[in-house]
Structure formats: C-alpha cells, structure tokens
Amino acid sequence: MKWAQSITVTLRTIRTLSTVVTCHARHRRMLVRFAGLGLGAATLTTVAAASGNSNVDVLTSSPDVSSFMAEPVTPLSTLVKDKDDMKVKMEMLIMKIQADFCRALENEEDPSKKFIVDRWTRAEGGGGVTCVIQNGKTFEKAGVNVSVVHGILPVDAVRQMKARGKELIGKELPFFAAGISSVIHPSNPHVPTVHFNYRYFEVTQENGEKMWWFGGGTDLTPYYLVEEDVRHFHSTLKNACDQHDAGYYPKFKKWCDEYFLVSHRNECRGVGGIFFDDFEMHSQEDCFKFVKSCAESVIPSYVPLVKKHRNDPYTSAERDWQLLRRGRYVEFNLVYDRGTKFGLYTPGARIESILMSLPVYAKWEYMHSPSDGTPEAKLTEILKNPKEWI
C-alpha cells in the first residue's frame, strides 16, 4: 500500500530546532532528521512511497528562504507548487533583493542599529514586509518595502491606468501586484539619496484575458554634485541594461529624466538613472531577467558612494540645504509619483508603507535660491538641465 505525508516546518522552528520525524508504514519505518543549520529552507515536504519491498524515498525541499528578512507573503506550499509561475518568481526575487540590500546597508550603519522588520497582511488579499532603519548614524531613514497584493482593482486605479494608455476592459478587475520599493535618506549631506522600485503586475479583464507587465527603475538624488559618483552610478546601471539590449539604457535614462521632473519647480528630482513602465515587449521570462539584472545592480551602484562619503565633515549650512532639497523630494512623491497614487487608490492601503519614502525631516523656505557660483547653485543648474553622464 502506498502512502504520502507532508511535513511543514515554520521558518522560526527550522532555525531553532533539530526535529525528528518518524513515519510509519505497513512494513516499514522511516526516520527523517533535519536541522535548520545547513538546510536553508522554511518548509520541508517529505513524500515517502513504501510497500512490502524497498522503494526509493523522495525528498523534496522548498526554495531557500532562510536568508529573507521575514517569511514570504505567499504560503510556502504555494511557492513550491507554483514555483514556475511568474507571480512566485517575482516574489522570490524581491524578497532576496530586500534581504541583500538591507544587509548591505546594515554593514554601513552603527552595529547596534538594525532594520526593524514589519511583516503585515492585507484583509483584501496579500501583504508585505516593510524594513526600516530610523535615526541611525549613517541613515536618518532607510526603508525597503516588499508588497505582494491581490484583489479587485478599484475604479480609480483602472481609470489611472487607462489614462496612460492601458486598454483595460471592465471597471473593477482582479489584479496581482508584487514589487519592491526603497528610498534611502542618509544623515550626511554628502551621501546622496537613492530610490529604486521594481514591480510585476497582472490584471484579468472581464473577457477573461490576462494582461501582465513589469516596471521599475533606480535613480539618484545627491545634495552636492560629485560628477565621478554620478558617472559610477550611471555606468553600473548601463552595464545591467547592456546585458540585454544596448538600446535600453539611453531609452530608459531619458524616460527617467522626464518622469522625475517636478513640473511646478521646472527641475528634476535628482540626477536620474533609469525608469521604465509597461515593459512587456518580449517574453515574460526575458522581461523578468532584465528586471532581475537591474535590481541586482542597486548595491554596486549605490553602496560604494555611501562608503566614500558617510564620514565626510559637513556644516550646518550644508545640512540646511539637504533639508531644503528633501522638501522637493516630498513634493514629487506626493504630487506626481505613480506608485504613491496607486497605493492610495488601492482598498486596504497600508499608509505607513506607502509613505515610507518620506524623510523624517524636511524643510521649506519662502523664495529660497542658492547664491551664484556656489556648490548648491551648481547642483540646481544640473537639475534644471539634465545631461548625459556617460
């Protein structure tokens, strides 16, 4: 007689326990011993086929999630069962990118300061993992958010997508969205702010047709312009793009300059990077590989700049300038940013995670303008007239 039994172990259990599972069959006893050390998985599914003779035991483990900042949003059994589904592949990617980036940032922070990890769920479907450092020595606020949500796309969100050219059939549509979004606000004015966001979206229309696309980008917002740093940043992104198509970087660099324009100020938010949306021009797998390359370029593009400048001396006047520039950052995020708008339109929106991108401190002064010939004026000129860096 054949039998099968599944054993699921939580991430916390598998990290702390050495578990002995004894399985009985009619003519056979099987002992499976496993420990968190070296197993590197949050779920272990054991399927044993047994009869009167000695059949082969089959041992299948789930994807390695032990290094993630928290357990994935999707049940681990689903991650195993649907491992080839793009929804699962995207969630696994963004969970890994989150963990890698958080640990890279922690390495630049005071050893006593670690990310607060907040795993949350959404009543309407899905949830996320928000990781935040606040008031650290290196980072005044660093947020890295993963969200994996599903449900019914509300009318306002459908209308917003149609306004940018999406041909969606229906008013309230089933959707799935998985993405990672991060904004890093450093303490030192000589360390730039960085933002990145990579996402995957599916919508099922009233006629049953499923639409999918990717979007994302990485961009840099310095407070003081160091051209060598900006060239390094752009070169790293270009190398990631060039692995897939030499035309991507110039196209997405231009798109970034246009997207992050603070129109009412007639200046860009920063010195750009790459930005793309509605990315579906190739196979789903090819698009995913491109997004993966871009996401993996964040650490090498940004962390060297943190290492280089985090201990630079600065004045109170330079700190004031940093706070004024952060005010412009806030203006863009609240007035123009698509991600913020989509989040606020989504039922069950988690406001703390959506507004995670905002700094702890910012400043506005009436009719402020930097003096000619100053480093502040030099940056302002670049923001008003974007240039090619490489």
Side-chain angles (χ1 to χ4, degrees), residues 241-280:
C241 291
D242 287 352
Q243 295 176 34
H244 303 269
D245 190 315
Y248 282 170
Y249 171 77
K251 178 180 179 180
F252 297 151
K253 191 270 186 190
K254 182 176 184 293
W255 199 344
C256 186
D257 289 339
E258 294 170 350
Y259 177 75
F260 288 106
L261 177 67
V262 185
S263 299
H264 62 271
R265 298 284 191 180
N266 193 33
E267 64 183 32
C268 294
R269 189 175 75 174
V271 294
I274 58 172
F275 174 85
F276 57 92
D277 208 351
D278 303 320
F279 189 66
E280 56 185 358

Side-chain angles (χ1 to χ4, degrees), residues 1-2 28 48-58:
M1 184 178 79
K2 293 187 178 182
R28 183 171 176 170
S51 63
N53 51 34
S54 58
N55 290 334
V56 178
D57 296 334
V58 181

Side-chain angles (χ1 to χ4, degrees), residues 122 147-161 164 168 173-179 197 199-203 213 259 277 333-351 354:
R122 174 176 171 270
S147 61
V148 181
V149 298
H150 56 87
I152 301 298
L153 199 62
V155 174
D156 285 341
V158 173
R159 186 182 300 119
Q160 181 191 353
M161 290 180 176
R164 71 172 203 256
L168 300 176
L173 308 174
F175 81 97
F176 169 89
N197 174 291
R199 55 196 177 273
Y200 172 70
F201 212 94
E202 283 187 5
V203 177
W213 64 89
Y259 177 75
D277 208 351
N333 282 27
L334 294 182
V335 177
Y336 301 109
D337 187 68
R338 288 181 184 176
T340 301
K341 290 181 178 180
F342 174 78
L344 296 176
Y345 286 144
T346 303
R350 193 170 192 272
I351 303 301
I354 295 169

